[in-house]
Amino acid sequence: MTQSLLHQILDHANRANPYPLYEELRKTPVHHVDGGPYVVSTYYEIRSLLHDPRISSDVRNLASTARDPLAGPAQEESALPPSFLRLDPPEHDRLRRMTNRPFGPPHSPRRIDGMRGELHDIVSGLIDDIGDPDRIDLVDQFSYPFPVTVICRLLGVPREDEARFHTWADTLAASLDPDPDADPAERGKGANEARMQLGMYLAGLIEERRKNPGDDMLSRLATAQGEDGAMTTMELLSTAALLLIAGHETTVNLITNGMLTLLRHPDVLQRLREDPGFAVPLVEELLRFEPPVQLVPQRTTLADIEVRGVTIPKGASLWLVLASGNRDPQRFEDPDRFDPDRRDIQHLGLGSGIHSCFGAPLARLEAQFALSELARRLENPRLLEDPPPYRQNAVLRGPRHLPISCDGIRP
Amino acid sequence: MPGDGSLERLRREGRIVVVGASLAGLRAAEALRAKGFEGSLTMIGDEPHEPYDRPPLSKQVLLGRAAADRTALPRLRPVDATWRLGVPASGLDMAARRVRLADGDEVPYDRLLIATGVRARPWPHEAEAELDGVFVLRTRDDSAALARRLDAGPKRVLVIGAGFTGSEIASACRERGLPVTVAERGSAPLVGALGGVVGSVAAELQREHGVDLRCGVMVTALEGDTSGRVRAAHLSDGSTVEADVVIVSLGATRNTEWLAGSGLGAGPRGIACDAGCRAFDIRGIVTDDIYAAGDVARSPHALFGYQFLSLEHWGNAVSQARIAAHNMLSESTDRLPHMEVPAFWSAQFGVNIKSVGAPSLGTEILISQGSLQERRFVGVYGYQGRVIGAVAFDHARWLPFYRELIETTASFPPPFDNVDRRPGGQRPIDADFPDPSVPTHGPTVTLSGYSPADRRMTFTPAH
Ligand SMILES: Cc1cc2nc3c(=O)[nH]c(=O)nc-3n(C[C@H](O)[C@H](O)[C@H](O)COP(=O)(O)OP(=O)(O)OC[C@H]3O[C@@H](n4cnc5c(N)ncnc54)[C@H](O)[C@@H]3O)c2cc1C
Ligand code: HEM
């Protein structure tokens, strides 16, 4: 019975609306079935565990007996060392600090703000190119290409190489979203090859930037000489790949979920059209209501930990279901209502604690630009399929396509 | 009387007076209106300014990143109130329920909130304190005047007292490239608040940033030139420091003199109130119409055996203000206790320092994460086998976990393994706090006994 709850959540048939399953899950805040992960689904417990130093993000701490139903051929198999997403302090802190130096305050308070013009141009260009307003796939035509282009610009990938970058990103994203009918060995091979090529490309670019540094992130990371020393080339490669992967599918889903939610709430769409500034609270509520990262599955206990009367043993695998915490009625009033006017909105959509989303300011800005421009420019947009077809992936959950139509594109 | 409609009348047409128009006063006023109080609200403040924020005064303002007059507190909602700014309250008549103002006016109340905070302890020798170039830092005007003087490029700044404020001032001066000497009576900076183990890290930080740090010394006299400008300070070790700016940072004095003789339980250690912020009278009987919140209040805290606690923390002022506002408008059974775990932050020498609980009550410390050498760590304080506080240097994101340990009175030393435990962090050591009978100006959390009528003063100025 309970076993099936987890399987139901992973079952693609329930991807369009997993929220009733999460509600069921919250009746047992720490859900565990022999051999499976300990699944935590209530807001306060998740938040505590995200700040708990007895929880590791390093899979090497997982007891060999713990099994993770998400582990499979789609998992990273590469020669690169783990990125800081999968490291614990002090290594995590050192790499994150070094990566932040050219990215955010206090050393680079203007990097993200300085990208506003560029973000606007990319969004405008993609909307200009939409073409036939009768049948638009918002995912393929907009949400997908947008964040990859942004990461390219952030890292400093030359324009002429962007197309190749997009191809690798697509292949990697597909490997995160296994098609159950495809041969897993084939898929794994494709992904590994893309990863190799991407790695080699980046290694070349890093070499080049060491010689001729610009103001882009990669140059700054490659030439860093701060109190933390320099990153090795391997660390740099891992970090660049992390930025690409962590900032891609997530942002795609935020924008697509956002447009889907707006089309289901025409009054909110109308408000956004009239007031682009409304995008700020709107995106916050989206991160609560339809979070692109539904759960974080890579956590391990370093000690026996008691949560709500359940002892989670050392070495266990832990899932923190952020999307369920975001709908916990103990924390949010009327949680299943989409309400951008909510003031009390400390959602878990970007995580919390030391691993909380590194790219958060950029992610927010991307989504705000994308949604307010789409609202402004698409004339009378309509959903062609509700619910739209979803990707396999239960962790990075979002529509594979979002077919919409509109009366025209405003200039 | 519950249920007799008096509360309803108070909500509709009562008179609430707030004395002290700063952080606690403003947040209480906002909370009162948010809770539907429709009667008259009077805000009395002796400073001529709208409520402003103090933490930036020793940080951004001294660095020239923010102007002192641009530190107004953000308003969380509009507050309909009569503002009496620039006039101190000078007395209280509890029987007649009136506040006397220095300009002779009297303001009647049904409920009174006292949030008069603290003021900087001045240099004890009056004539020396009057010298041009001698500053204290508590108000916006203090900060503006000091920032102007720093702009002029003094030859050397002397900071007397290396508590949080003094250390932040020294940090700002160094960041501006000014030569700085810090004189501290204790063995290290921050020693009163965080103990000697962490204090020695703070000392290294200061020295590494070029501060001429002198610990274990007292300034015995300030010397002026013929035109009345400060030019040097004499230290107890016989040395002399030539400085044209001197900042006296020796802690704070509670603003309770105006309540002398009123019958309220107010004294040099603050205003005693219950866990619901209701003030006690001098007989130890709780009043039902007078409340206190913020730096001026001392109240029993469940986590510390219900001993009275004085806190000079921003977050404490906000949460007490909300509790006081709530309780003023509630039936006795709906009242809430103030139970928040104390929390404090400071930014200095590029490090973000944050504490939870009451480190200064601890006797032992264990570095549970990170390392002192790297100056990035979490230190956990233990008292009689339980966790009583924690401090983080550039590790603030972990503190919610330690707050939970404090709330649940977890045992000390914490037995668990964690993501960043170093070999040195397996064993608690003496936290090395100065003898409590020796005056320091450091601690921002002070236990002040069990009795609400306790008016003894333990601080004896160092000079
Ligand atoms: C320079 C500086 C830096 C700080 N940095 C930090 C920090 O980093 N982190 C932190 O947690 N805390 C910090 N604090 C402490 C924090 O600012 C205080 O805890 C907070 O201001 C307390 O608010 P309050 O309203 O209780 O008291 P106050 O802010 O002191 O306000 C009391 C008000 O009442 C007025 N008043 C006094 N007597 C009377 C009277 N008789 N009649 C009318 N009005 C009167 C006073 O003039 C004042 O305006 C800092 C304080 C200073 C001065
Ligand atoms: C809407 C978009 C995004 C969402 C919802 C999102 C969500 C998250 C979440 C939940 C985590 C925490 C993972 C964990 O706790 O293990 C995380 C971490 C991270 N994110 Fe994002 N993210 C988004 C966009 C981005 C972007 C644009 C970037 C890069 C520029 C980025 C970079 C990262 C990195 C590097 C981490 C790892 C941080 C660490 O381990 O310290 N993310 N993100």
Side-chain angles (χ1 to χ4, degrees):
Chain A
M1 174 63 213
T2 33
Q3 171 81 8
S4 72
L5 190 51
L6 211 55
H7 282 134
Q8 280 176 334
I9 289 170
L10 294 176
D11 185 349
H12 183 245
N14 293 315
R15 197 70 71 244
N17 186 12
Y19 298 103
L21 294 171
Y22 296 155
E23 188 178 343
E24 195 56 37
L25 197 56
R26 283 193 300 272
K27 291 181 184 160
T28 321
V30 182
H31 176 105
H32 177 241
V33 177
D34 273 350
Y38 286 77
V39 181
V40 184
S41 54
T42 43
Y43 181 91
Y44 292 105
E45 282 67 32
I46 295 172
R47 201 184 54 179
S48 289
L49 289 169
L50 285 169
H51 293 109
D52 193 322
R54 297 168 298 179
I55 308 292
S56 166
S57 285
D58 190 332
V59 284
R60 290 170 290 191
N61 288 314
L62 202 61
S64 53
T65 47
R67 265 184 295 125
D68 184 343
L70 282 177
Q75 288 279 328
E76 236 176 275
E77 296 163 25
S78 84
L80 291 181
S83 66
F84 63 82
L85 173 68
R86 310 239 180 157
L87 287 173
D88 291 335
E91 295 81 11
H92 164 274
D93 295 4
R94 171 179 159 266
L95 289 168
R96 182 165 170 145
R97 220 162 35 229
M98 291 175 79
T99 313
N100 191 56
R101 243 175 196 269
F103 183 76
H107 299 286
S108 310
R110 270 173 284 279
R111 162 86 61 190
I112 301 300
D113 213 49
M115 289 184 76
R116 281 174 179 273
E118 200 150 22
L119 292 182
H120 183 85
D121 292 347
I122 301 170
V123 167
S124 302
L126 288 169
I127 299 180
D128 290 343
D129 290 346
I130 277 180
D132 179 8
D134 282 340
R135 192 163 179 97
I136 304 168
D137 179 3
L138 195 82
V139 175
D140 283 349
Q141 291 177 262
F142 186 86
S143 316
Y144 223 74
F146 177 42
V148 184
T149 311
V150 174
I151 296 289
C152 283
R153 304 283 163 85
L154 181 72
L155 291 177
V157 174
R159 300 283 165 106
E160 61 271 22
D161 296 342
E162 279 184 11
R164 288 160 74 197
F165 218 82
H166 279 258
T167 316
W168 295 321
D170 285 356
T171 314
L172 287 179
S175 78
L176 292 176
D177 189 33
D179 171 357
D181 300 327
D183 174 3
E186 275 303 304
R187 198 178 54 237
K189 235 168 75 191
N192 275 338
E193 210 165 291
R195 204 171 283 124
M196 284 277 283
Q197 288 182 7
L198 176 67
M200 271 155 61
Y201 172 80
L202 284 172
L205 192 59
I206 289 164
E207 209 41 50
E208 152 67 22
R209 292 296 192 246
R210 284 221 168 96
K211 288 186 214 121
N212 300 306
D215 186 44
D216 54 89
M217 285 262 302
L218 215 50
S219 295
R220 297 275 307 275
L221 290 174
T223 56
Q225 289 294 340
E227 46 159 354
D228 289 303
M231 274 195 202
T232 65
T233 300
M234 293 301 258
E235 287 171 336
L236 195 49
L237 282 173
S238 281
T239 304
L242 171 65
L243 293 178
L244 174 68
I245 294 166
H248 186 207
E249 204 79 0
T250 48
T251 314
V252 175
N253 289 337
L254 182 59
I255 294 170
T256 315
N257 292 342
M259 202 56 199
L260 175 61
T261 307
L262 286 172
L263 290 167
R264 286 171 175 168
H265 297 84
D267 50 320
V268 180
L269 180 60
Q270 183 58 29
R271 269 177 78 183
L272 179 60
R273 194 174 289 133
E274 286 160 9
D275 173 16
F278 184 51
V280 175
L282 173 80
V283 166
E284 243 25 65
E285 173 69 346
L286 269 175
L287 284 165
R288 182 192 73 83
F289 189 72
E290 286 276 29
V293 180
Q294 297 266 300
L295 59 100
V296 287
Q298 309 119 7
R299 289 292 203 278
T300 307
T301 43
L302 295 178
D304 292 358
I305 292 176
E306 193 179 302
V307 180
R308 284 276 199 112
V310 176
T311 302
I312 306 176
K314 176 175 173 160
S317 160
L318 207 58
W319 283 13
L320 306 176
V321 190
L322 306 178
S324 170
N326 280 353
R327 301 278 190 121
D328 186 344
Q330 299 280 345
R331 175 62 183 82
F332 296 105
E333 215 172 290
D334 204 357
D336 292 324
R337 213 176 65 141
F338 178 65
D339 175 12
D341 292 321
R342 250 174 231 283
R343 297 185 86 186
D344 177 25
I345 183 165
Q346 285 223 359
H347 58 75
L348 301 170
L350 296 166
S352 190
I354 62 160
H355 290 281
S356 74
C357 182
F358 173 86
L362 179 60
R364 288 187 163 105
L365 207 59
E366 285 183 74
Q368 290 160 12
F369 264 107
L371 294 174
S372 55
E373 276 300 284
L374 287 168
R376 186 178 73 77
R377 295 192 59 192
L378 302 187
E379 236 169 281
N380 189 27
R382 300 171 293 277
L383 267 181
L384 294 181
E385 253 177 83
D386 194 4
Y390 273 78
R391 294 174 198 288
Q392 278 297 329
N393 200 323
V395 176
L396 306 178
R397 169 182 162 270
R400 174 64 193 89
H401 300 287
L402 188 69
I404 61 173
S405 70
C406 63
D407 295 346
I409 314 273
R410 290 194 191 86
Chain B
M1 290 285 115
D4 67 355
S6 59
L7 199 56
E8 211 20 66
R9 256 196 320 283
L10 173 72
R11 282 172 167 275
R12 247 191 357 266
E13 56 199 38
R15 298 160 301 180
I16 298 184
V17 172
V18 176
V19 183
S22 180
L23 179 62
L26 175 65
R27 291 292 177 254
E30 288 167 342
L32 286 167
R33 289 301 188 204
K35 287 180 190 304
F37 173 64
E38 292 168 5
S40 79
L41 187 57
T42 307
M43 308 286 297
I44 299 166
D46 62 357
E47 295 187 78
H49 313 293
E50 297 250 312
Y52 60 86
D53 208 16
R54 294 182 204 275
L57 301 182
S58 52
K59 307 175 181 82
Q60 294 90 330
V61 172
L62 296 186
L63 288 170
R65 295 210 189 109
D69 58 3
R70 301 295 295 278
T71 51
L73 279 164
R75 299 297 183 96
L76 305 182
R77 54 166 291 129
V79 174
D80 177 18
T82 305
W83 294 82
R84 304 283 310 255
L85 298 180
V87 199
S90 56
L92 171 67
D93 185 336
M94 288 173 66
R97 292 183 162 182
R98 283 167 179 278
V99 173
R100 261 191 315 281
L101 302 190
D103 65 6
D105 258 8
E106 298 210 343
V107 187
Y109 65 84
D110 299 305
R111 296 284 184 278
L112 172 66
L113 174 67
I114 302 176
T116 45
V118 303
R119 64 180 181 277
R121 190 183 301 282
W123 184 245
H125 303 279
E126 231 173 276
E128 293 175 14
E130 290 293 304
L131 289 169
D132 184 30
V134 177
F135 294 85
V136 292
L137 179 53
R138 178 74 196 175
T139 69
R140 169 193 277 195
D141 297 342
D142 294 339
S143 183
L146 177 57
R148 263 198 309 280
R149 191 56 69 91
L150 297 182
D151 281 341
K155 286 201 277 297
R156 178 165 291 273
V157 177
L158 169 66
V159 179
I160 307 178
F164 281 107
T165 305
S167 298
E168 288 180 359
I169 295 168
S171 168
C173 291
R174 284 307 300 142
E175 201 166 329
R176 298 180 61 141
L178 300 170
V180 179
T181 298
V182 172
E184 161 62 41
R185 178 190 174 118
S187 59
L190 312 183
V191 69
L194 300 174
V197 174
V198 176
S200 63
V201 177
E204 279 171 32
L205 264 174
Q206 296 216 357
R207 295 209 165 98
E208 216 163 85
H209 282 80
V211 173
D212 166 31
L213 176 66
R214 321 249 186 124
C215 294
V217 294
M218 285 184 291
V219 173
T220 50
L222 299 178
E223 185 190 319
D225 62 16
T226 47
S227 55
R229 295 190 56 138
V230 68
R231 58 163 295 274
H234 300 281
L235 273 50
S236 55
D237 62 0
S239 62
T240 300
V241 174
E242 286 189 19
D244 41 356
V245 170
V246 173
I247 300 143
V248 179
S249 190
L250 293 174
T253 307
R254 267 119 193 107
N255 290 320
T256 52
E257 292 80 356
W258 68 282
L259 295 164
S262 66
L264 202 68
R269 309 175 77 183
I271 300 171
C273 53
D274 72 2
C277 296
R278 292 183 303 175
F280 286 100
D281 69 17
I282 47 169
R283 303 167 302 170
I285 295 176
V286 75
T287 63
D288 213 17
D289 50 357
I290 304 178
Y291 291 71
D295 283 7
V296 77
R298 52 186 284 260
S299 63
H301 202 296
L303 283 173
F304 308 101
Y306 291 96
Q307 287 203 70
F308 282 77
L309 213 58
S310 303
L311 296 164
E312 290 177 44
H313 297 176
W314 195 96
N316 175 66
V318 173
S319 75
Q320 281 190 328
R322 296 204 171 119
I323 293 286
H326 173 90
N327 290 346
M328 274 187 184
L329 300 177
S330 298
E331 301 288 0
S332 55
T333 48
D334 297 332
R335 289 187 184 135
L336 297 173
H338 168 65
M339 295 205 302
E340 211 165 84
V341 178
F344 182 84
W345 83 95
S346 168
Q348 47 183 283
F349 304 105
V351 175
N352 165 18
I353 302 175
K354 204 167 167 181
S355 77
V356 289
S360 57
L361 309 185
T363 50
E364 294 174 286
I365 187 171
L366 178 138
I367 304 306
S368 65
Q369 291 180 249
S371 84
L372 294 170
Q373 288 73 31
E374 290 164 22
R375 301 200 198 112
R376 297 195 183 91
F377 61 88
V378 177
V380 191
Y381 293 84
Y383 173 72
Q384 295 186 345
R386 47 174 280 221
V387 175
I388 198 159
V391 64
F393 272 45
D394 278 344
H395 257 53
R397 283 176 197 259
W398 293 112
L399 283 184
F401 171 75
Y402 293 92
R403 189 184 57 222
E404 273 179 41
L405 292 186
I406 296 164
E407 275 167 352
T408 54
T409 61
S411 67
F412 181 92
F416 54 81
D417 205 359
N418 70 48
V419 290
D420 195 12
R421 191 126 187 202
R422 310 293 176 82
Q426 309 289 357
R427 213 168 8 89
I429 51 173
D430 184 347
D432 192 19
F433 279 99
D435 179 336
S437 65
V438 174
T440 72
H441 28 262
T444 56
V445 181
T446 324
L447 274 187
S448 52
Y450 281 104
S451 161
D454 189 347
R455 304 182 60 193
R456 275 174 305 135
M457 190 162 101
T458 50
F459 185 94
T460 30
H463 305 278

